[in-house]
Amino acid sequence: MNYFVNEKGYYGDFGGAYIPEMLYPNVEELRQNYLKIINDADFQKEFHALLKDYVGRPSPLYLAKRLSKKYNAHIFLKREDLNHTGAHKINNTIGQILLAEKLGKKRIIAETGAGQHGVATATVCALRGLECVIYMGEVDIQRQAPNVARMKMLGATVISAVSGSKTLKDATNEAMRDWINNPVDTHYIIGSVVGPHPYPDMVSIFQSVISEETKKQLMEQTGSDQPDYVLACVGGGSNAMGMFYHFIGDENVKLIAVEAAGKGVSSGFSAATTFLGKEGVLHGSRSILMQTADGQVVEPHSVSAGLDYPGIGPQHAHLFKTTRAQYASITDEESLEAGLLCTQMEGIIPAIESAHALAYLEKMEFTGNENVVVCLSGRGDKDMQTYMNYFGF
Amino acid sequence: MNRIDLLFKEKKNNILSIYYTAGYPGLGDTVAIAEALQESGADMLEIGFPYSDPVADGPVIQATSKQALDNGMDLNLLFEQLKQLRKKVTIPVLLMGYVNPVLQYGVENFCKACADAGIDGCIVPDLPMYEYEELYQGVFLKYGLRNIFLVTPQTSDERIRKIDGLSDGFIYLLSASATTGKNLNVSDVTTTYFSRVAAMELKNPTLIGFGISSKETFEKACKYANGGIIGTAFVKAVAKGDLKENISSFMKMFR
Ligand SMILES: Cc1ncc(COP(=O)(O)O)c(C=O)c1O
């Protein structure tokens, strides 16, 4: 079974480039060049130097002793929260900004939900001196004010997306419209493994550093690079894809992707795409998305803005359909409780997105010997207001 | 004979095609608008079926799409309305919209419903050429539907040739790489591009769209192509007030 992209841009039934003709030249330029550029030795050198000296990689693989004891397994946390800007998102933006430079682009646009990808994009634009425009839903601008301020301080222009539900999906629409209207000098840094081919593949390659490091670290710490389980949360699915990437071929490693159930899968306020969605096309690729019988995209809900998205990347749809990975879901409350637990047992405040992956440990049964890796995709600083409101701190 | 083919056979220039969104401003306005447009001299109609995430559209058509959805428009209802429409309207009618609602309806079901309702062609901007050719062309042909592709100033000659080979009906030339509703400013860049395409002597006729809002811009379109397509300016004109009056006074600009 091939779990990676084929030469037509598909993962099994999913993927492709469902874009209007206006986007074709830009997407085609990327498609023709991305592998050549990424595989170039100089590019690799510069990319890895920045990941090391600027982002602070490798991120630690930390054996969480008290959580391990509680769950009766060896729980390892992959500490993407310790990256510069506080999440895995920067791995991708470093890669894409270097690629945009090679393509001679002068202007960068991006969408953001929680603001983490917006901050990571504004950061690399400041680093390289490129113009930066970030689209963010009006609703998210209100609930993520500190990140909006960070983007502005970094020199980005933040444009409020006022169409539709005014959240991540609509910010993505607005970014695509901007790209249509600026067809020559602009590069669109998509923040997850979504969008038309080659984005899902390109973003997963940049994020694959997560599992590449994890394998080495596991080997050093446990004597084997094969854990029993690997867990990650899924919004669009980039931290999960990065965390799964080098384990996909290891069929004995169980991959678990955790979606946001919101107020409950059947509550009408959920973002559990594989449970609620059907096959279709969203933001340029064929995948699974939440939609009505008439094919209108349904508004998702999650307490975590980063998981508040009605689709998943096409490779996830393929991993789901082939059952190579298992897809589970966690409610708002379960994630917040898991965030508190991790904080008080390990002294690590996780992003609420990442807390969804942690929360799934509660639902698993272990015999004491299993090695389990959880991707701690980001830190919880941005979520303090939500934690405060829920726990009354 | 397919009505689009017939139109282009009989008329070589000054062709005026009007876009409007089904179910806007009122859910039941679809048929009345078509009748009034035919009466006041439109040569062809492009009826948009609404979608929640219209990425190729600017704010005006986005808003019509949203209102149409809020009004309760969907493909099943639209196909019922179209059957009524065809009792009164004889000019070619195309459906325009995004691919996801078509996929959910089922591509074959969709094409069959189009044929049953007297639809002559479709414009699905986010259905790519490769997928059309590999998966759907056979179905479109089986039901006698013309599939219309877009071309922009950034489309290479080689790709335009390929599109011409795969198209029947006509080719939709965008005046710029833009979302709908941007004003057409005919610069050197646009005229060079229009002339470049005209010089290619394509087998298909061409219509210019995006940004046509006045007599002058329509005349420019007619100079470089077989005619023009008006969308945003028209839906703005019917947003409020008496439909029939608005349509006839709008059309007087061009006819
Ligand atoms: C910390 C964190 N984790 C996860 C996500 C979800 O994105 P993805 O599924 O692409 O990893 C986000 C998005 O903002 C995030 O900030």
Side-chain angles (χ1 to χ4, degrees), chain B residues 12-254:
Chain B
K12 300 291 177 208
N13 45 42
N14 264 334
I15 292 176
L16 176 57
S17 182
I18 303 283
Y19 168 92
Y20 67 96
T21 305
Y24 175 89
L27 184 60
D29 290 335
T30 315
V31 180
I33 293 177
E35 274 186 276
L37 281 170
Q38 170 170 278
E39 234 165 75
S40 52
D43 294 306
M44 186 159 73
L45 305 177
E46 292 166 28
I47 302 182
F49 50 95
Y51 179 49
S52 54
D53 295 81
V55 291
D57 286 301
V60 173
I61 292 184
Q62 283 173 45
T64 65
S65 196
K66 180 162 192 316
Q67 186 171 336
L69 288 173
D70 291 348
N71 288 345
M73 181 48 71
D74 64 21
L75 278 172
N76 284 318
L77 176 61
L78 177 57
F79 283 124
E80 276 172 39
Q81 293 183 345
L82 290 172
K83 282 182 195 157
Q84 299 311 310
L85 186 151
R86 260 298 169 229
K87 291 179 182 158
K88 295 158 182 165
V89 172
T90 56
I91 57 178
V93 179
L94 294 98
L95 289 190
M96 180 162 187
Y98 293 83
V99 72
N100 196 53
V102 177
L103 292 177
Q104 297 317 311
Y105 202 86
V107 176
E108 171 116 28
N109 284 344
F110 177 81
C111 290
K112 183 171 186 307
C114 282
D116 291 347
I119 292 297
D120 303 287
C122 297
I123 309 174
V124 186
D126 59 343
L127 174 61
M129 207 158 54
Y130 166 73
E131 278 73 11
Y132 174 69
E133 198 174 359
E134 291 289 308
L135 302 172
Y136 305 127
Q137 189 178 21
V139 189
F140 273 69
L141 292 176
K142 177 172 158 194
Y143 292 101
L145 291 173
R146 302 287 174 258
N147 183 44
I148 309 304
F149 287 98
L150 312 183
V151 159
T152 83
Q154 275 72 39
T155 311
S156 67
D157 284 4
E158 187 193 346
R159 189 167 166 84
I160 294 177
R161 287 270 174 237
K162 181 142 198 243
I163 287 172
D164 192 36
L166 208 57
S167 298
D168 38 20
F170 66 95
I171 292 175
Y172 193 145
L173 298 186
L174 300 195
S175 52
S177 177
T179 43
T180 52
K182 288 268 146 73
N183 283 331
L184 173 67
N185 55 21
V186 184
S187 63
D188 292 350
V189 182
T190 15
T191 49
T192 315
Y193 147 67
F194 290 155
S195 310
R196 168 167 73 91
V197 178
M200 289 179 76
E201 299 187 356
L202 302 175
K203 83 173 163 67
N204 286 285
T206 54
L207 294 178
I208 292 175
F210 280 34
I212 299 180
S213 57
S214 61
K215 190 169 171 57
E216 294 73 52
T217 42
F218 178 63
E219 279 170 357
K220 290 224 169 82
C222 294
K223 200 169 133 200
Y224 293 98
N226 302 79
I229 302 165
I230 301 177
T232 299
F234 177 76
V235 299
K236 261 191 205 162
V238 296
K240 285 193 194 76
D242 185 84
L243 264 187
K244 279 209 148 117
E245 254 169 50
N246 286 342
I247 292 173
S248 88
S249 70
F250 182 85
M251 291 295 286
K252 281 201 185 104
M253 267 204 286
F254 308 95

Side-chain angles (χ1 to χ4, degrees), chain A residues 151-387:
Chain A
M151 288 184 267
K152 288 185 176 165
M153 186 165 173
L154 287 158
T157 305
V158 180
I159 300 183
S160 167
V162 295
S163 57
S165 58
K166 306 174 175 60
T167 59
L168 179 56
K169 157 177 99 68
D170 310 285
T172 308
N173 291 340
E174 289 301 332
M176 291 183 125
R177 289 179 187 123
D178 180 308
W179 213 19
I180 286 174
N181 287 296
N182 294 283
V184 180
D185 65 341
T186 297
H187 175 71
Y188 176 17
I189 301 191
I190 296 185
S192 192
V193 286
V194 301
H197 176 68
Y199 275 101
D201 189 40
M202 179 171 73
V203 176
S204 74
I205 291 171
F206 291 140
Q207 292 292 1
S208 70
V209 64
I210 300 174
S211 48
E212 189 185 323
E213 288 173 5
T214 302
K215 279 200 144 190
K216 276 195 209 123
Q217 292 163 324
L218 276 173
M219 187 56 116
E220 284 163 21
Q221 295 181 34
T222 70
S224 161
D225 68 356
Q226 310 268 302
D228 297 282
Y229 296 97
V230 172
L231 278 73
C233 68
V234 178
S238 67
N239 86 90
M241 226 44 255
M243 188 72 248
F244 292 172
Y245 199 92
H246 291 284
F247 293 111
I248 288 177
D250 302 336
E251 299 265 357
N252 53 322
V253 177
K254 295 185 190 69
L255 309 175
I256 301 177
V258 183
E259 300 180 328
K263 296 182 177 168
V265 169
S266 320
S267 67
F269 297 90
S270 178
T273 304
T274 57
F275 289 83
L276 298 169
K278 283 187 307 211
E279 294 181 17
V281 168
L282 177 64
H283 295 143
S285 63
R286 198 186 263 255
S287 186
I288 298 173
L289 58 132
M290 291 164 52
Q291 54 185 315
T292 65
D294 190 41
Q296 311 299 336
V297 183
V298 166
E299 307 298 349
H301 165 85
S302 169
V303 67
S304 75
L307 305 184
D308 203 349
Y309 184 72
I312 50 172
Q315 193 170 11
H316 280 291
H318 185 52
L319 293 177
F320 171 72
K321 198 167 177 181
T322 58
T323 70
R324 173 63 191 94
Q326 178 198 335
Y327 288 73
S329 68
I330 285 295
T331 64
D332 290 349
E333 285 187 11
E334 289 168 334
S335 70
L336 293 163
E337 295 294 345
L340 182 66
L341 188 80
C342 178
T343 304
Q344 300 196 339
M345 291 189 78
E346 299 292 345
I348 298 170
I349 303 179
I352 300 173
E353 289 82 4
S354 322
H356 282 73
L358 289 167
Y360 193 67
L361 292 169
E362 290 282 343
K363 316 222 160 181
M364 298 174 71
E365 279 184 26
F366 300 111
T367 61
N369 296 317
E370 294 88 345
N371 289 330
V372 181
V373 181
V374 181
C375 187
L376 207 82
S377 56
R379 58 177 173 248
D381 306 27
K382 69 180 175 64
D383 297 317
M384 283 318 296
Q385 196 61 51
T386 312
Y387 282 131

Side-chain angles (χ1 to χ4, degrees), chain A residues 84-97 108-125 132-136 140 144 147-148 150-151 154 156 158 168 171-172 175 187-194 199 202-203 206-207 236 238-239 305-307 353 377-378 382:
Chain A
H84 180 43
T85 70
H88 67 293
K89 296 283 179 189
I90 190 108
N91 304 327
N92 170 43
T93 59
I94 293 268
Q96 285 203 49
I97 198 92
I108 299 296
I109 57 173
E111 85 294 340
T112 195
Q116 287 306 104
H117 175 59
V119 167
T121 303
T123 298
V124 296
C125 287
C132 181
V133 176
I134 305 291
Y135 289 90
M136 187 167 185
D140 290 334
Q144 308 285 339
N147 272 344
V148 176
R150 287 166 85 195
M151 288 184 267
L154 287 158
V158 180
L168 179 56
T172 308
H187 175 71
Y188 176 17
I189 301 191
I190 296 185
S192 192
V193 286
V194 301
Y199 275 101
M202 179 171 73
V203 176
F206 291 140
Q207 292 292 1
S238 67
N239 86 90
L307 305 184
E353 289 82 4
S377 56
K382 69 180 175 64

